[in-house]
Amino acid sequence: MSTAGQSIRDIFNAETGTDITTRGWVKTRRDSKGVTFVQLNDGSCFRDLQVVVDAGTIPDDVLASVTTGACIMVHGLLVDSPAAGQPVEVKAQSITVYGDADPLTYPLQKKGHTMEFLREIAHLRPRSNTFGAVFRVRNVLSHAIHTFFQDRGFLYVHTPIITTSDCEGAGAMFGVTTLDLMNLPREPRGGIDYTKDFFGKPAYLTVSGQLEAEVFALAFSNVYTFGPTFRAENSNTPRHLAEFWMIEPEMAFCDLDGDRALAEDFLKFIINSVLDKCADDIEFFNKRIDNTVLETLEHVTKSAFEHVTYTEAVRLLEKADRSFEFPVTWGCDLQSEHERYLTEDVFKKPVIVTDYPKEIKAFYMRMNDDGRTVRAMDVLAPRIGEIIGGSQREERLDVLKERIKAQGLPEEPYSWYMDLRRYGTVPHAGFGLGLERMMMYVTGMKNIRDVTPFPRTPGSAEF
Ligand code: ATP
Ligand code: MN
């Protein structure tokens, strides 16, 4: 099969009066007197190409197979469309059917399906309007993320997916083993003998590439990771996945203020890219999914993010003229309802909260002089809550040792991490953005399962 043929997106930019060849999947077919209208989509853009088939041009047996879901090739003349709704259309001269689709059983019908049903047909939902738009945006977002960092001279580092440091402090981990679960090797005292396991010790899927990114930041100055991350947290929420993609920049010679500034620039840049390159898709989300999306995104790119300390945030929450399911006192972790109140009701835009109590944050975050708070930041966004978590890292060996001890962690597995403080240490900082949380933010999609090609959640890992 030759690859000649134009994408539908290219065809929308082509001159009328030219011959074109195009391929795609039939969205709908409508017959009227003496003419058949076929809406064709190949995923290259939101809009369908209208193919007009005049009676008699295409053999009946071929046209009979041109039904919703079928994959076809069309050869014809590109003309100005007389009807409203599309600028151009194709007058078919010949059609080849690559693969037909039984209209009686094809699951993706024109009628509006529920998101839950579409999740069950994740192998076909990419052909729907909604999921076409979702995954084009996800692609553009991913490209924009690389562009942002590459343009600023950040080095892209691939941190490992399998790790043997089990206490990164970010959440429950999935074990990785080749041991026979029915016949586990035992230590004399009954525990599992991991020396017999593949890596000679317990291994897990990574929850974050941060610690390894720090290694690279202390050699290449500015680095980032962008890869899959795994959390075995049994939280069945619309914003948690067991497998998600995380972007983690790490910068040497950087403090929390620099980290905060980078997070803001970064979010604005990637939002602008999506607005710029996915205008039709965003227009669709704005019309059909959430009619505040466009306004919100444009507002965010133009306004400065808000910044409050945790202590100020707690004061605002205590003063709130509403009650919360989880009461707020200084020292508690902010729950989603608190985060959303701050960003949706108080500030109505993204808010960066910094300087959290040390007890609720990870051991590697830099201790403030007050001895009670650490240089942590969370970026909170309307509708989503936490979208970014980051911090300035503790670069002082003695303080880091204290923190590891205080959190009841063993020192030995962190010896290499402490070496970074022993040899040529420097202030450094970074953050993690969950790609899927960002996707929810830019599309207005309400469930993280619907911005992920094949979502993995408790009890569900289909396809
Ligand atoms: P949350 O409190 O929302 O569970 P977290 O504090 O566990 O988040 P971090 O460990 O700081 O999050 O991870 C960095 C970022 O990764 C988060 O800001 C979020 O965007 C994303 N993230 C974290 N956990 C998940 C998850 N289970 N599914 C999807 N994205 C996640
Ligand atoms: Mn979590």
Side-chain angles (χ1 to χ4, degrees):
M1 190 191 299
S2 92
T3 56
Q6 288 163 288
S7 73
I8 288 175
R9 177 193 162 122
D10 288 342
I11 287 168
F12 278 120
N13 292 317
E15 298 272 332
T16 51
T18 53
D19 264 343
I20 58 107
T21 301
T22 189
R23 287 83 67 101
W25 290 266
V26 175
K27 273 260 176 74
T28 57
R29 165 197 175 142
R30 182 165 56 84
D31 294 288
S32 92
K33 227 177 153 186
V35 57
T36 298
F37 298 98
V38 177
Q39 301 295 323
L40 197 65
N41 193 285
D42 66 353
S44 61
C45 61
F46 184 81
R47 269 186 297 169
D48 302 327
L49 182 62
Q50 171 153 287
V51 178
V52 182
V53 187
D54 288 326
T57 21
I58 306 295
D60 285 348
D61 61 322
V62 174
L63 198 54
S65 298
V66 179
T67 57
T68 299
C71 185
I72 64 172
M73 172 166 70
V74 179
H75 181 76
L77 187 67
L78 189 67
V79 298
D80 290 312
S81 179
Q86 65 273 328
V88 294
E89 61 189 29
V90 177
K91 282 247 173 240
Q93 287 157 357
S94 70
I95 291 180
T96 306
V97 177
Y98 290 123
D100 58 7
D102 181 353
L104 291 176
T105 59
Y106 184 59
L108 199 65
Q109 296 297 329
K110 174 85 180 150
K111 67 174 163 71
H113 295 295
T114 64
M115 293 294 166
E116 289 75 16
F117 172 75
L118 289 166
R119 251 170 249 155
E120 288 169 21
I121 54 162
H123 57 306
L124 296 169
R125 71 177 183 169
R127 298 187 200 172
S128 69
N129 283 338
T130 304
F131 289 92
V134 163
F135 296 120
R136 272 187 302 276
V137 168
R138 190 171 165 129
N139 171 59
V140 165
L141 204 53
S142 303
H143 187 192
I145 287 160
H146 282 294
T147 303
F148 177 85
F149 290 118
Q150 292 293 330
D151 285 356
R152 281 160 187 74
F154 281 60
L155 179 119
Y156 178 32
V157 52
H158 302 108
T159 51
I161 288 170
I162 297 175
T163 173
T164 53
S165 48
D166 66 342
C167 6
E168 292 171 36
M173 302 179 93
F174 287 100
V176 175
T177 182
T178 52
L179 292 178
D180 178 357
L181 298 183
M182 298 302 285
N183 187 18
L184 288 167
R186 295 289 174 183
E187 291 173 322
R189 272 193 274 149
I192 296 165
D193 180 5
Y194 280 104
T195 63
K196 302 266 168 26
D197 202 353
F198 191 90
F199 298 104
K201 52 179 152 179
Y204 308 88
L205 293 178
T206 186
V207 293
S208 157
Q210 181 204 315
L211 302 191
E212 291 91 351
E214 283 186 56
V215 170
F216 271 64
L218 268 68
F220 297 92
S221 307
N222 290 330
V223 305
Y224 69 107
T225 71
F226 183 1
T229 315
F230 307 86
R231 300 206 180 162
E233 43 199 7
N234 202 354
S235 45
N236 237 317
T237 81
R239 25 176 235 113
H240 285 92
L241 291 167
E243 174 182 301
F244 62 100
W245 283 62
M246 187 137 74
I247 300 98
E248 295 176 280
E250 190 70 34
M251 292 88 67
F253 319 105
C254 184
D255 60 10
L256 193 68
D257 293 334
D259 203 24
R260 195 154 57 78
L262 187 88
E264 180 169 345
D265 285 353
F266 172 59
L267 291 177
K268 287 178 172 172
F269 178 91
I270 59 180
I271 290 172
N272 268 322
S273 299
V274 170
L275 288 173
D276 201 35
K277 294 187 181 152
C278 300
D280 288 352
D281 295 319
I282 297 295
E283 189 190 320
F284 166 81
F285 291 122
N286 198 59
K287 237 191 246 156
R288 302 291 295 276
I289 302 294
D290 179 340
N291 59 22
T292 65
V293 155
L294 191 54
E295 190 194 341
T296 307
L297 295 180
E298 283 171 347
H299 178 59
V300 165
T301 59
K302 291 193 189 88
S303 51
F305 288 13
E306 218 46 67
H307 170 213
V308 291
T309 63
Y310 169 89
T311 304
E312 287 161 353
V314 166
R315 220 171 279 141
L316 290 167
L317 289 161
E318 284 170 341
K319 279 204 323 233
D321 51 9
R322 53 160 285 192
S323 61
F324 297 106
E325 191 189 336
F326 297 91
V328 184
T329 49
W330 199 97
C332 74
D333 204 355
L334 299 185
Q335 302 292 326
S336 179
E337 55 171 345
H338 307 137
E339 298 176 339
R340 293 189 59 173
Y341 173 77
L342 291 170
T343 169
E344 287 169 18
D345 297 334
V346 182
F347 297 112
K348 300 183 169 49
K349 59 175 159 176
V351 186
I352 308 187
V353 182
T354 61
D355 302 288
Y356 285 76
K358 64 175 194 283
E359 287 78 13
I360 58 171
K361 289 292 181 183
F363 71 89
Y364 50 72
M365 299 189 178
R366 193 179 197 279
M367 182 69 81
N368 278 317
D369 293 342
D370 63 10
R372 308 169 69 202
T373 59
V374 290
R375 300 243 75 192
M377 70 165 186
D378 279 2
V379 182
L380 313 179
R383 289 199 321 269
I384 316 294
E386 180 185 334
I387 186 163
I388 282 181
S391 66
Q392 184 173 336
R393 319 306 187 190
E394 184 54 75
E395 86 282 12
R396 298 161 297 186
L397 182 62
D398 50 336
V399 184
L400 183 65
K401 269 193 178 164
E402 269 308 301
R403 294 277 291 142
I404 289 178
K405 205 150 119 214
Q407 300 218 349
L409 300 172
E411 259 190 42
E412 195 277 323
Y414 296 108
S415 64
W416 59 269
Y417 190 69
M418 288 194 285
D419 266 0
L420 300 176
R421 279 74 182 163
R422 217 169 258 131
Y423 308 116
T425 192
V426 67
H428 60 289
F431 63 76
L433 167 72
L435 178 68
E436 291 78 7
R437 296 263 175 100
M438 188 64 198
M439 278 295 297
M440 292 174 73
Y441 189 61
V442 297
T443 61
M445 296 292 286
K446 285 169 193 61
N447 195 308
I448 200 162
R449 293 163 179 79
D450 300 326
V451 294
T452 306
F454 303 102
R456 272 80 180 95
T457 52
S460 173
E462 304 308 313
F463 304 98

